[in-house]
Amino acid sequence: MTLKVCASLLLLFLVNSVWTRTVRQVYDELDPEHWSHYTFECPRECFCPPSFPNALYCDNKGLKEIPAIPARIWYLYLQNNLIETVSEKPFVNATHLRWINLNKNKITNSGIESGVLSKLKRLLYLFLEDNELEEVPAPLPVGLEQLRLARNKISRIPEGVFSNLENLTMLDLHQNSLLDSALQSDTFQGLNNLMQLNIAKNSLKKMPLSIPANTLQLFLDNNSIEVIPENYFSAIPKVTFLRLNYNKLSDDGIPPNGFNVSSILDLQLSHNQLTKIPPINAHLEHLHLDHNRIKSVNGTQICPVSIAVAEDYGFYGNIPRLRYLRLDGNEIQPPIPLDIMICFRLLQAVVI
């Protein structure tokens, strides 16, 4: 039990801190003895911190164009400006770039010069959130590890745009204009190491096709999904965190064992149309069912094992691992049924 808990915490840590690890690695690779090989010119519109010579801060400057980037720069901050175009000229000498933040600008697809992004061979992180993009830009650098495109106007994903991005671990497309038709069976082909996929706040009515098999975190909140296909999660056997809040799921839209999946540790189904708790797996640790239409809770029915067996488990037995259960916003009246507590011995919080 302790090993499993540690494993789940480790997975969360790896996904949420992958950028810090990589930044630290590339920073350590830049030996101060080699800095003398670079000239320390600094664009007048930007700030070049002496303590971080391979970073260039040009954020919040009202820039309409990207300035010439010095050769020594690895981390480039251009967020919160008025930039409309991304051309090749400013990046001619910037062959070491690992990180570009272009969030909150006015960049359109037509404003991105053809091939300019793919020529940044060492780029690991590309942030283009809060722009005016209508499709995923292509082609992209093959070494990318994170691609953040949230809060654009993306309704189209070009064929094969992700096919060579084997190193990508995070893809964020939330709050765009994606329909089911934009996600074909081969859309995510090639993303063999993807860990987090965020397609929340789009216009999906169906579960997306062919999610990469190694996905750990799948976020689909704020869509209009009504049905979970039979055996849907067998194709993504490592999924650990699943968010389906604010959809249109009803009891009829969930197969009998749709969420009885041993890999899922955190399941969020808040703000749907459920009238009963769907069957869950004994490995599940967090369950969010608030703001549905549930009127009563029967611990005997929802317990992943029989109540009789649960009563016989010792402290170190293989008991159900649910620790957090949220049921507020339904029509359930306290107190909590005793059989809930008998089944879920590890419960630390129940919100009614």
Side-chain angles (χ1 to χ4, degrees):
M1 177 178 68
T2 302
L3 289 176
K4 286 288 187 177
V5 171
C6 290
S8 65
L9 291 174
L10 178 59
L11 289 175
L12 180 60
F13 173 79
L14 288 173
V15 173
N16 290 336
S17 64
V18 63
W19 71 272
T20 57
R21 182 173 63 253
T22 306
V23 167
R24 189 179 302 113
Q25 288 172 347
V26 295
Y27 182 76
D28 291 344
E29 289 173 9
L30 189 59
D31 193 327
E33 294 181 2
H34 297 159
W35 292 351
S36 60
H37 296 297
Y38 298 99
T39 58
F40 277 77
E41 74 277 10
C42 184
R44 61 182 178 82
E45 309 96 330
C46 308
F47 172 62
C48 301
S51 61
F52 198 9
N54 53 349
L56 182 61
Y57 291 86
C58 308
D59 51 310
N60 296 287
K61 301 294 185 182
L63 299 181
K64 295 185 178 181
E65 296 180 350
I66 298 174
I69 310 303
R72 71 177 189 278
I73 299 303
W74 290 31
Y75 310 106
L76 177 59
Y77 299 88
L78 288 161
Q79 66 270 28
N80 293 299
N81 281 295
L82 302 171
I83 297 169
E84 296 181 358
T85 59
V86 181
S87 61
E88 184 176 347
K89 184 178 179 181
F91 299 103
V92 169
N93 296 318
T95 57
H96 293 282
L97 276 174
R98 264 61 169 176
W99 173 302
I100 298 179
N101 190 332
L102 278 161
N103 291 346
K104 294 187 178 180
N105 278 283
K106 298 182 180 297
I107 299 168
T108 62
N109 288 94
S110 60
I112 301 177
E113 186 175 333
S114 178
V116 62
L117 297 176
S118 62
K119 291 178 181 178
L120 301 172
K121 302 295 185 181
R122 301 187 182 186
L123 196 66
L124 302 177
Y125 298 89
L126 177 59
F127 300 170
L128 279 164
E129 298 179 345
D130 295 283
N131 278 281
E132 303 293 331
L133 300 174
E134 295 183 351
E135 63 179 55
V136 175
L140 292 163
V142 296
L144 273 186
E145 293 184 5
Q146 286 193 19
L147 178 59
R148 298 177 182 248
L149 298 169
R151 296 178 298 278
N152 277 276
K153 301 175 181 178
I154 296 173
S155 61
R156 182 174 176 271
I157 300 178
E159 185 177 356
V161 67
F162 302 128
S163 60
N164 294 320
L165 303 187
E166 294 187 359
N167 295 326
L168 200 71
T169 59
M170 176 187 286
L171 175 58
D172 191 344
L173 288 162
H174 88 268
Q175 200 165 332
N176 277 285
S177 302
L178 292 170
L179 300 171
D180 296 317
S181 57
L183 305 180
Q184 300 299 314
S185 59
D186 59 352
T187 295
F188 301 112
Q189 184 175 344
L191 299 179
N192 299 327
N193 289 297
L194 196 70
M195 298 173 70
Q196 184 184 105
L197 177 60
N198 191 341
I199 325 178
K201 294 188 177 182
N202 277 279
S203 299
L204 304 181
K205 294 183 178 181
K206 300 178 180 179
M207 295 292 286
L209 301 171
S210 301
I211 299 297
N214 285 321
T215 302
L216 298 176
Q217 298 183 342
L218 179 59
F219 304 149
L220 291 163
D221 314 78
N222 293 88
N223 281 284
S224 298
I225 297 171
E226 299 179 355
V227 176
I228 306 295
E230 189 82 34
N231 300 319
Y232 181 84
F233 299 106
S234 63
I236 42 176
K238 298 181 181 180
V239 64
T240 305
F241 302 89
L242 177 62
R243 291 196 337 217
L244 279 158
N245 303 319
Y246 291 95
N247 276 283
K248 296 182 179 181
L249 290 171
S250 64
D251 301 327
D252 293 338
I254 300 176
N257 285 296
F259 295 120
N260 187 2
V261 180
S262 62
S263 65
I264 299 178
L265 303 182
D266 191 299
L267 176 59
Q268 299 190 20
L269 296 168
S270 304
H271 293 271
N272 277 280
Q273 301 170 10
L274 302 175
T275 64
K276 59 185 179 181
I277 297 178
I280 59 174
N281 193 272
H283 291 89
L284 188 67
E285 296 180 3
H286 295 84
L287 178 59
H288 297 246
L289 284 164
D290 54 286
H291 297 91
N292 276 275
R293 301 174 181 175
I294 301 170
K295 294 183 178 181
S296 63
V297 181
N298 186 318
T300 303
Q301 292 179 353
I302 69 171
C303 190
V305 299
S306 72
I307 290 293
V309 172
E311 286 184 295
D312 292 337
Y313 277 138
F315 182 79
Y316 295 102
N318 188 26
I319 60 177
R321 298 171 188 172
L322 194 67
R323 287 169 166 77
Y324 180 87
L325 175 60
R326 184 171 177 183
L327 292 165
D328 55 305
N330 286 283
E331 300 177 32
I332 302 170
Q333 299 297 322
I336 301 168
L338 179 60
D339 51 6
I340 292 285
M341 309 310 296
I342 293 174
C343 174
F344 301 108
R345 301 288 186 86
L346 301 179
L347 261 178
Q348 297 175 356
V350 181
V351 183
I352 294 183

